[in-house]
Amino acid sequence: MCIKLKSKHSGFVLYEAVVSLMITIMTLGILQQSLQILHNVQKTTFRDQLRWHITQEKLQELLGKSKITGAFGNRLFYKDENDKTKAIKMLGNYGRAILAIENADNRGYEPMMTNLNDINIEKKDKLVIITTENKAGQTSQMCLINDP
């Protein structure tokens, strides 16, 4: 025996339509966020990331073995314990657009990073925090440990 139920209405119920619409909107929102993340990752090139890591390793090598004598503004003064001349060197912004290492007597400098908008150097105990902003407006922060 077969029973057939006949419905007066065919189609979706209102709450089914609302739920499916909400699921569609949530899916589109997640897709939009994913595309924004992908766009930001593509703007940061591999070359920039490699340059940043090389700079961080070189600064850690220089400052890790040195004694910091003072920090004034956006400049950090340090003395290399292995250097026979015992000259005081300075890490800071050279002309605002370059992070550089220079002798304290202003006789030349070695550029570490270029094409920067802003550089901020601060010292907290044995930690040196260098915050930079590049021309694209991206902010990066380097934390170096100073333990001579």
Side-chain angles (χ1 to χ4, degrees):
M1 181 154 114
C2 187
I3 300 176
K4 288 188 176 181
L5 297 174
K6 289 192 174 184
S7 174
K8 294 180 183 178
H9 303 289
S10 62
F12 290 106
V13 180
L14 181 61
Y15 73 87
E16 291 175 331
V18 169
V19 168
S20 64
L21 185 62
M22 287 179 62
I23 290 172
T24 304
I25 290 172
M26 287 173 45
T27 304
L28 289 175
I30 291 171
L31 179 64
Q32 181 185 13
Q33 289 176 351
S34 299
L35 290 176
Q36 285 177 347
I37 291 170
L38 181 64
H39 180 69
N40 289 340
V41 167
Q42 287 177 342
K43 279 192 337 188
T44 306
T45 63
F46 177 72
R47 187 190 71 175
D48 291 338
Q49 292 175 357
L50 183 62
R51 180 179 73 152
W52 179 258
H53 288 292
I54 289 172
T55 302
Q56 184 174 7
E57 288 297 318
K58 186 164 185 172
L59 286 174
Q60 182 65 54
E61 180 181 322
L62 287 172
L63 293 177
K65 301 173 186 173
S66 303
K67 180 180 178 185
I68 295 178
T69 58
F72 305 105
N74 278 345
R75 297 182 186 266
L76 184 72
F77 296 92
Y78 67 96
K79 189 186 320 183
D80 189 356
E81 298 296 324
N82 297 329
D83 189 8
K84 293 185 168 97
T85 62
K86 300 292 183 192
I88 294 177
K89 296 185 179 183
M90 178 176 55
L91 172 69
N93 52 345
Y94 189 84
R96 184 164 170 86
I98 299 173
L99 178 67
I101 295 175
E102 58 185 298
N103 291 330
D105 57 2
N106 293 327
R107 286 197 266 161
Y109 68 96
E110 177 185 357
M112 300 300 287
M113 293 185 81
T114 58
N115 294 328
L116 299 173
N117 278 343
D118 191 27
I119 302 167
N120 185 21
I121 301 172
E122 53 185 305
K123 180 186 178 296
K124 294 181 180 178
D125 295 326
K126 292 185 177 186
L127 188 66
V128 177
I129 302 170
I130 302 171
T131 307
T132 60
E133 180 181 326
N134 63 10
K135 299 281 184 184
Q138 298 170 329
T139 303
S140 300
Q141 194 172 46
M142 227 186 279
C143 297
L144 305 169
I145 298 171
N146 181 250
D147 195 14

